[in-house]
Amino acid sequence: MARWEPGARERLAQAALELFARQGFEQTAAEEIAQSVGLTERTFFRHFADKREVLFYGQDRFVSLFLDALAAARADATTLELIGVAVRAGTTMFNDERRSYSRLRQRIIDANPSLQERERHKLAGLAQAVAGMLRERGIDALAATLAAESAATVFAVAFAQWIQEGETRSFDEIADHVLAELVSVTATGVSR
Amino acid sequence: MARWEPGARERLAQAALELFARQGFEQTAAEEIAQSVGLTERTFFRHFADKREVLFYGQDRFVSLFLDALAAARADATTLELIGVAVRAGTTMFNDERRSYSRLRQRIIDANPSLQERERHKLAGLAQAVAGMLRERGIDALAATLAAESAATVFAVAFAQWIQEGETRSFDEIADHVLAELVSVTATGVSR
């Protein structure tokens, strides 16, 4: 049995981000990441299924934020209110201290198609999990899917804005604005 | 110069679908697809960048359907009307004769994560193209992105329903229903 390495996962994730940013994702091997924090490649792959996964560390907790908030929402909440609850729950992971980390991470992802694919896969997984929770709340399958996809879209669009250079508004403030705009875009009888 | 093979692309696409369905995507080599219709592997790769692409043949025409319809829409159309125009334009490629082909193709995609990733990538590309056209029509960037993502979601959800076993409604009819449901899901002040 390999010995337990306290905080190994966090150290690997942090080292990976720095190496990817400095020399590129493709140019950085798992072994190099591990060695930079005094660990072995084998330890790396005990914590992460592949090199891409290291950038999606914390995804389970992220999805749980959405699901826990939805489970706790008022029984008579409308689907729109539930979309708002889900999005706002997700934003709690992204405070101002995290913004520069998120910017750096996104630059790495944007530079690599395989990482973009993994990110879309994760977002699709989030939407599926949210739809499942909405169905558990008694919302029919079609409405649950559409509400979940809308929540994922609002989250993703707000996130992209939040990490823009020069953007100073909080994630919450941006998310509220994006959700209000989605309501406007899909409203009937509204002329522009 | 290789000689021109009339209809090579269509023949390769059809042969690939049949082989993927019969023996699996991973188990079918490009060379085998080509040989099954009397062509060479080299010809295959002149028509398709990789083996996955053969299942996304016609994507450019598909995106053009959306863009052409949006370009031709009334100048005073609301964003919701434009979402409807885009989705309905996309459905014209999928008539009843095509339904069994689409079912077979989707089964192949659903069985292979790398194909699902390519499909998500294509859907993201569609949404980006639609957003670009909406901006050209003078819609601001945020509204254009949200309307385009909503159109892509409605299209994808309606498509998944259209290819369900036993589903007999036309794609148009399903798409109208899904769009109406999206309007309801994102409406303010609606109680369930």
Side-chain angles (χ1 to χ4, degrees):
Chain A
M1 282 292 289
R3 68 202 159 89
W4 171 245
E5 295 282 355
R9 186 188 287 263
E10 290 75 10
R11 284 157 60 208
L12 288 165
Q14 184 62 37
L17 192 81
E18 286 163 13
L19 286 166
F20 293 162
R22 191 160 65 231
Q23 62 194 33
F25 174 78
E26 292 293 356
Q27 290 73 37
T28 304
E31 187 180 6
E32 189 179 359
I33 298 166
Q35 286 180 350
S36 78
V37 289
L39 297 171
T40 63
E41 185 179 12
R42 195 170 153 177
T43 301
F44 181 92
F45 287 113
R46 218 165 38 240
H47 288 285
F48 303 103
D50 62 32
K51 204 175 67 170
R52 290 195 282 175
E53 271 309 301
V54 75
L55 287 168
F56 299 95
Y57 168 59
Q59 170 79 8
D60 292 347
R61 190 178 135 232
F62 174 61
V63 173
S64 296
L65 285 176
F66 283 77
L67 301 188
D68 293 350
L70 286 171
R74 288 200 337 271
D76 64 347
T78 66
T79 45
L80 176 59
E81 286 166 345
L82 291 171
I83 294 171
V85 163
V87 172
R88 274 194 159 267
T91 67
T92 58
M93 247 176 89
F94 301 95
N95 54 28
D96 272 356
E97 290 86 70
R98 198 183 165 111
R99 190 161 356 201
S100 59
Y101 166 90
S102 293
R103 271 187 191 128
L104 184 58
R105 176 180 169 280
Q106 198 65 42
R107 267 208 299 275
I108 296 164
I109 291 174
D110 288 348
N112 190 296
S114 82
L115 293 173
Q116 291 169 37
E117 289 197 344
R118 181 67 58 99
E119 185 167 63
R120 275 193 289 269
H121 176 71
K122 296 285 185 181
L123 196 65
L126 170 68
Q128 278 167 21
V130 167
M133 175 58 77
L134 293 174
R135 289 195 301 273
E136 274 186 42
R137 289 184 56 102
I139 295 175
D140 77 63
L142 177 57
T145 297
L146 293 170
E149 293 291 340
S150 296
T153 295
V154 168
F155 190 88
V157 169
F159 183 83
Q161 182 59 43
W162 181 65
I163 59 172
Q164 288 284 306
E165 288 301 331
E167 176 62 64
T168 57
R169 290 174 295 169
S170 71
F171 199 149
D172 265 7
E173 190 180 343
I174 297 167
D176 285 352
H177 174 63
V178 173
L179 181 54
E181 189 69 26
L182 176 68
V183 168
S184 165
V185 158
T186 55
T188 52
V190 176
S191 59
R192 294 187 299 110
Chain B
M1 280 293 289
R3 68 200 159 93
W4 170 245
E5 296 283 356
R9 187 187 285 263
E10 290 74 11
R11 286 156 59 209
L12 287 165
Q14 184 62 38
L17 192 80
E18 286 162 14
L19 287 166
F20 293 163
R22 192 161 63 232
Q23 62 194 34
F25 174 79
E26 291 294 355
Q27 290 74 37
T28 305
E31 187 180 7
E32 189 180 359
I33 298 166
Q35 287 180 350
S36 77
V37 288
L39 297 171
T40 62
E41 184 178 12
R42 194 169 154 179
T43 302
F44 181 93
F45 287 113
R46 217 165 41 241
H47 288 284
F48 302 103
D50 62 34
K51 203 174 65 170
R52 291 195 282 175
E53 271 309 301
V54 75
L55 287 168
F56 299 95
Y57 166 59
Q59 170 81 10
D60 292 348
R61 191 179 135 231
F62 175 62
V63 172
S64 297
L65 285 175
F66 283 77
L67 301 188
D68 293 350
L70 285 171
R74 291 201 334 273
D76 64 347
T78 66
T79 46
L80 176 58
E81 286 166 347
L82 292 171
I83 293 171
V85 164
V87 171
R88 272 191 161 269
T91 68
T92 59
M93 247 175 89
F94 301 94
N95 55 26
D96 272 356
E97 290 86 71
R98 198 184 165 111
R99 190 160 357 199
S100 59
Y101 166 89
S102 292
R103 271 186 191 129
L104 184 59
R105 176 180 170 280
Q106 198 65 42
R107 267 208 298 275
I108 296 164
I109 291 174
D110 289 347
N112 191 296
S114 83
L115 293 173
Q116 291 168 38
E117 289 196 344
R118 182 67 57 98
E119 186 168 62
R120 274 192 290 268
H121 177 72
K122 296 285 185 179
L123 196 65
L126 170 68
Q128 279 167 21
V130 167
M133 175 57 75
L134 293 174
R135 289 194 302 271
E136 274 186 41
R137 289 184 56 101
I139 295 176
D140 78 62
L142 177 56
T145 297
L146 293 170
E149 292 291 341
S150 296
T153 294
V154 168
F155 190 88
V157 169
F159 183 83
Q161 181 59 43
W162 180 66
I163 59 172
Q164 288 285 305
E165 288 301 332
E167 176 63 63
T168 56
R169 290 173 297 168
S170 71
F171 199 151
D172 266 8
E173 189 179 343
I174 297 168
D176 285 352
H177 174 64
V178 173
L179 181 53
E181 188 69 26
L182 177 67
V183 168
S184 165
V185 158
T186 55
T188 51
V190 176
S191 60
R192 291 188 302 109

